[in-house]
Amino acid sequence: MSTPTFWRCEPSWSWTSPPLTDHLLWCVVDGRGAVELDGRRQELRPGVCAVFQPGDAPRATHDPHRRLLVFGMHFATATTAAPDPRWGEVLDRELLGVLARTSDASYRRGDALGRRQAELCLEQLVTLVWDAVHQPGRSAVDTAVDEIARQLRQDPSRDWTVTEMAGRAALSRAQFSRRFVAQFGMSPAQYVIQARIDRAHQLLTESGMTVTETAAALGYTDVPYFSRQYKHRTGRTPSQDRQAQPGFQPSTESAGREAGPE
């Protein structure tokens, strides 16, 4: 890979590339313009990224009053890295910026670890472009619903309500529920339950917490109800999973507390 580079295009800049001999990652960070390749044209704005392959000869121009700021690098690979079409719009511009800056800074450290980190950032950036090409048209609402689902997984013990979730996405309860089911294949309430059971399994098998302690930590006041939900989702009782962890040593007290719910 070549040195990762940011460049602010000069006011009089234009680009007519000879046929490329390697791959080129090309990401717009700021400004406005247009790029053309094989009769296709793409308006350039922040978040539009391309991966060109050997033989491509792109052309580009920009608005001199809104000069392009581009991040990119050349790289070689034995596999096909360029999507078709070559470009897409990466909606998560924060992640795009972090990866670009990290790649640039890491490579310029000049050591083996920095170069490897820059290579990993390149792989992730190319993946983002592929996702943008093959999953276009995701709206701000889709992104908001994804973020809410992420928060549910991060904090499943919280007393989540559909009304609160819908408000965060600026949707009605019915609209939010429909969008959520379309994206995740289950209702928000069922998603919360699954997130709690997933976290319960982790606590039972890794933390040493008892079934009663785990249920309480995840907001269950009824331990038998928690145990039924757990078995329904996993096919095992909470005690079975807890006792399966290496080095499990049941105490008399914990055995007595956990015998009832199952």
Side-chain angles (χ1 to χ4, degrees), residues 129-180:
V129 179
W130 273 78
D131 282 346
V133 171
H134 295 292
Q135 299 185 38
R138 286 182 58 79
S139 67
V141 172
D142 294 327
T143 302
V145 173
D146 283 343
E147 176 59 27
I148 291 166
R150 186 179 302 112
Q151 293 174 6
L152 295 180
R153 296 192 301 271
Q154 291 173 349
D155 190 13
S157 63
R158 181 175 170 178
D159 185 17
W160 294 96
T161 67
V162 176
T163 298
E164 176 191 1
M165 290 184 265
R168 291 187 179 203
L171 296 170
S172 70
R173 284 173 52 96
Q175 288 173 324
F176 176 78
S177 295
R178 285 196 297 270
R179 296 294 284 265
F180 198 97

Side-chain angles (χ1 to χ4, degrees), residues 2-3 57 89 142 227:
S2 65
T3 304
E89 184 170 4
D142 294 327
S227 296

Side-chain angles (χ1 to χ4, degrees), residues 109 116 122 145 199 201 222 229 243 247-248 256:
R109 280 168 36 193
R116 179 54 181 154
L122 169 61
V145 173
R199 178 58 174 161
H201 178 267
D222 186 332
Q229 277 198 341
Q243 292 166 11
F248 172 72

